[in-house]
Each structure stands twice: as C-alpha cells, then as structure tokens.
Amino acid sequence: MASELCKTISVARQEKHKNLFLNYKNLHHFPVEMLKDGGLQHLERLYMKRNSLTSLPENLAQKLPNLVELYLHSNSLAVIPEAIGSLAKLQCLDLSDNALKVVCPEIGRLRSLRHLRLANNQLQLLPPEIGDLKELQTLDVSANRLLTLPERLHLCLALQYLTADCNHLCHVPRHLCQLPSLNELSMAGNRLAFLPLDLGRSRELQYVYVDNNRSLKGLPSYLYNKVIGCSGCGAPLHIPEVKLLSFSSGELTVFLPTEVKAIGTASDRVLPLQELAMRRLHHTCHTLLKDLNFLSPISLPKSLLELLHCPLGHCHRCSEPMFTIVYPKLFPLRETPMAGLHQGRTAVSFVAYCCSSQCLQTFHLLS
C-alpha cells in the first residue's frame, strides 16, 4: 500500500495533476511524499476522506499553495493548524466527522472560502472571525455541542445555506434576520424556545426547519408562506415556565420570547417613554445607522445602541420598528396555508407582532 501511495503521488507530481484522490487509504499520517521538494504546486483538489488522520502539517499552504478544495471528511482530526489560514485560494473545506473541539481564529483569513462543513464534531463555540468570510455561501455546523452562534455571523453577506441541527442552541441571533442572501436555515433538534420576530421578513429566505425543538410554541407570521418544518415542536408547558412573559386574551395565553421587555394589551393607549424615544431616534438617524458616528460613546447605553442597529422586530401591519414592546396576535396553524403539510404533528402556532393596539386589531395573516 505504501509503495502504491508513493507511486500515485509521484505520478501526480510529474504529470501536474490538479486532482488527487486518497480516500479510503487507511492513512494515519499526512503523506510526507506530498511535502517533499516543492510539494504539489499544481494540485487544486485533494480528497482524503475516510482515513485516520489525526493532524495536518504546518506547511500545508506552502506545499499545496493552489488548493481550491480540501476534503477531510471522516478522519480523527482534533486540531486545525493555524497555517491553514494561508490557503488563500481555498473555496471548499470539509472537516465533517472528525474530533474537532476548537476552530482556530485563523480560519477567518480564508477570504475565498465559499463552503465550510464542520458537522459531527465536538465544537462548543465558533470563532467570531467566521464573520470575516465574506464569500461564504454554505455553513454546516450540525451535530456539535454549540450553545450559541457568533454574532458576527451576520457579516457573512453571501451566506445562503446555514445548517445548525442537533446542537444545544437556545436562540437564533436576531442579526441573522439581516442576512440578505440567506435562502435556507435549518436549526432542528436544538433547544429553541422562540424565534426572532423578523425571521422570514427577507424574501430570499424560503426554507426554515425547526423540527424537534420541544419548547418552541410559536412561529413568526412572516414564515406563513415559506417552506417550514416544525413537527415535534410545541410540547406541553412545564410548570416553571408559567412565569414567563405572556399575553392573555380570554382563556388564551400566548407565551412570548424573553427578549420582549414589556407586553402591550388591547387596552393600552400610550407606549412607554423608552419605546417612543427609541422609535423617534431610529427615524431621525435611519440613514446613519450603519456607523452612528454622530453619537458619542456616552450618548446612549451600549444595549440601546445595539437595539438601534437591529430592532427587536418590525410591525407585521405597518413595518414600524419595535424595540421594547410588542402586541402579539395568535393564528392557529390550521388557519394557515402550511396546515395541510403537518397534519396535526405539531402544536406550534403562528404569532404576529404589531407595534400598537390599532395595528393589532386590523392585522390579518392572509391579508
């Protein structure tokens, strides 16, 4: 096997191959033959799936400088070397089914990367530098141990497919609603209790899968005409959860996201002063929100500045931004176009959020 491997690599070097297939070779170490002399300068695609590799060489980028695709699926890699950030031309990196516990910050230097697959590892967090991957289109981090996703992920403006199934995620970062190219979001099998109010507001987002999040009780009504998956959601409330923020109308009680700081009712006529001030400031500086340099660091608390950048949500009726208060309205799943797809497999309902009691009274899901 060793002589056959050496011959394969030798032929690839002599004939300047662009593709090299080393899958299922029972490799425990990265072949030193690939690193000899000048390495494989012409190689663009390297396939090393289903081996037993435990590490990668530090000089990988130096010896394989023109790599465009690197497939290391199903190995035993525990660490990604910092030097991998020097693979300037890399567009596709597959590290699924390994033993990774940490992703090095240098991955943010892969400015040409379009597809990153890290599924089925042991990751508890992702580095914020992932937000530097401006060309990233696909990110798969399913079957890890993630508790949260990096806030800077919303800077990946080219991101189209985000899969984070089977982790320990309790919420979806609100900033993800701002991703202009996101077409598919899958967060099935997590611990989600609510979804951002604005999720689905973008026309680009067409597929949302949140199956088997047992604490998830409602879907933003922006999703009502999307392709959604939510079977296994909407489990009965546990007793401790009764103290959560809620909105009641007659015998109906809707439990709301913990992000909602105050709850409006149909009898309210005056919004809280903080909400009125936030809306006015938002309108005044709407064209300057991207930098907010006109506000000194002490003009507003950091938490309020963050809200100005990304409001809690927008009114489903008039699109007014909302910061601290919403008026919820429940639409049972059976009354929506998606009802026929679920056939009673879920208790999840759609929840619309309005900025005032007037909008609440006039909003209809199918209007």
Side-chain angles (χ1 to χ4, degrees), residues 304-319:
L304 296 186
L305 283 174
E306 291 178 348
L307 274 177
L308 282 176
H309 279 289
C310 184
L312 181 66
H314 290 77
C315 178
H316 285 85
R317 178 66 176 174
C318 69
S319 292

Side-chain angles (χ1 to χ4, degrees), residues 14 68 93 134 163 196 234 244 252 309 334 365:
Q14 293 174 8
V68 175
L93 176 60
K134 305 302 182 184
T163 303
L244 292 175
L252 175 66
H309 279 289
R334 64 178 179 273
L365 183 64

Side-chain angles (χ1 to χ4, degrees), residues 4 98 134 146 284 367:
E4 180 182 346
N98 277 278
K134 305 302 182 184
L146 297 174
T284 301
S367 61

Side-chain angles (χ1 to χ4, degrees), residues 20 32 58 114 173 282 359:
L20 182 58
V32 295
E58 290 290 341
R114 297 181 181 178
H282 183 273
C359 283

Side-chain angles (χ1 to χ4, degrees), residues 75-133:
N75 278 278
S76 301
L77 296 170
V79 177
I80 304 173
E82 297 178 359
I84 201 170
S86 299
L87 288 168
K89 298 183 180 181
L90 197 64
Q91 296 182 15
C92 182
L93 176 60
D94 189 347
L95 290 162
S96 302
D97 288 279
N98 277 278
L100 296 177
K101 295 183 178 180
V102 177
V103 176
C104 60
E106 284 72 18
I107 200 167
R109 293 164 51 197
L110 298 174
R111 300 304 170 86
S112 298
L113 196 64
R114 297 181 181 178
H115 307 284
L116 176 59
R117 294 181 172 87
L118 300 168
N120 199 19
N121 279 283
Q122 302 172 30
L123 301 173
Q124 296 186 17
L125 56 85
L126 297 174
E129 286 77 8
I130 282 185
D132 297 331
L133 302 176

